[in-house]
Amino acid sequence: MKSLKILILGKGSIGRAIYYYLKKNRIAKRVAFFDKEKEVKNFDILIGALPSEIAKNGLRMALKYKKDL
């Protein structure tokens, strides 16, 4: 499980809480916040922490790159 690379979509309070939890418990090899769409292909899992108005964009990106969300 520690070999996972996780990308968090959303840098709000929920996204930061998830980041803190993953880092504290050393669950993943790499944890980062979404910055550019190009980097999505370098991660194993996407975590959606987006507001409901734009959450569908995260789903579309996960489907486009065939990543678990």
Side-chain angles (χ1 to χ4, degrees):
M1 184 126 158
K2 289 192 180 194
S3 64
L4 286 176
K5 292 180 275 181
I6 300 173
L7 183 65
I8 301 172
L9 308 176
K11 209 171 188 177
S13 58
I14 299 299
R16 288 190 310 262
I18 293 167
Y19 178 84
Y20 176 77
Y21 176 82
L22 294 172
K23 286 299 228 180
K24 180 181 175 189
N25 294 299
R26 300 174 193 217
I27 291 176
K29 178 180 178 181
R30 181 174 176 210
V31 180
F33 288 103
F34 174 78
D35 188 32
K36 297 178 185 170
E37 190 171 329
K38 294 178 187 177
E39 68 184 11
V40 173
K41 61 185 173 187
N42 299 324
F43 289 86
D44 302 313
I45 295 175
L46 306 179
I47 294 180
L50 296 166
S52 60
E53 304 86 42
I54 59 172
K56 63 183 173 187
N57 296 339
L59 178 58
R60 285 187 186 129
M61 194 178 339
L63 291 171
K64 178 180 177 180
Y65 291 97
K66 298 178 181 161
K67 301 291 179 179
D68 290 329
L69 178 67

